[in-house]
Each structure stands twice: as structure tokens, then as C-alpha cells.
Amino acid sequence: ENFSDKEEIRQDMHTSDTVQEKLSLVARFGVTIYFGSPNKKEFQNIVTTLAERHGVSMDTDKLLAEANKWELAHGGLSGRTAQQFIDYILGTTM
């Protein structure tokens, strides 16, 4: 089937088939991917670890205060947000 067969529908034509394929892969291989959100303390630990790894030389209290402001404006607490913050710091200080 093509989308041109049903012009008024602009989504996956067989959503139940797609879901079933994904579920069968999980059942077959036992793969589960978890994308949990860290709490505030875990987020700050991620930020400080990444800062050390990348050689960011900023006072820890200032770093965490800036990271807290960053996460509020850029999608909340996540490892990705922490990495984007460190990338931003590296881009502005180097």
C-alpha cells in the first residue's frame, strides 16, 4: 500500500503491524531500553563528572548553578541535557 492510496491519512498505514514487530523483537531477544530521568543529585553528578572528563575549570558551585539554569531552559533533567550544557561551556570558554 502507498500513501497515495489513502491521501487523507498521513500516518503509518499499519501501526498495529509496526507495534507487533517491535514487541516480537523484545520477546525474541529480551531487549529492554530504559531512558529514565535522573534526579537533581544524579544530574549534578553527571555534570561534574563530564566537566572533569572534559577539563572544565570552573568553580563547582558556579558550575552546578549554571547547569541548573541550563536544565530549566533546555528540557529538564537528563544525561543529554548535562552533555549539551558541558558542550556549551566548552564552546564559550575555549
Side-chain angles (χ1 to χ4, degrees):
E1 284 183 73
N2 296 321
F3 282 114
S4 61
D5 295 339
K6 298 190 184 244
E7 280 297 319
E8 69 278 358
I9 299 175
R10 293 289 178 199
Q11 60 189 23
D12 189 1
M13 301 270 304
H14 302 285
T15 53
S16 66
D17 290 345
T18 303
V19 170
Q20 288 302 319
E21 284 179 26
K22 291 177 183 178
L23 290 174
S24 70
L25 287 173
V26 169
R28 180 181 296 164
F29 299 109
V31 177
T32 302
I33 301 173
Y34 173 71
F35 295 102
S37 295
N39 62 33
K40 191 74 146 183
K41 186 175 177 121
E42 291 169 334
F43 175 77
Q44 290 176 341
N45 187 32
I46 293 168
V47 168
T48 55
T49 301
L50 290 173
E52 289 172 13
R53 185 178 297 163
H54 291 286
V56 174
S57 58
M58 184 184 288
D59 178 56
T60 304
D61 291 334
K62 182 177 179 185
L63 178 74
L64 294 178
E66 292 297 317
N68 290 338
K69 285 193 278 186
W70 178 270
E71 66 91 4
L72 288 172
H74 294 90
L77 300 170
S78 73
R80 178 179 290 192
T81 304
Q83 181 64 60
Q84 290 170 345
F85 170 69
I86 294 299
D87 292 343
Y88 168 77
I89 292 296
L90 289 171
T92 58
T93 58
M94 297 189 160

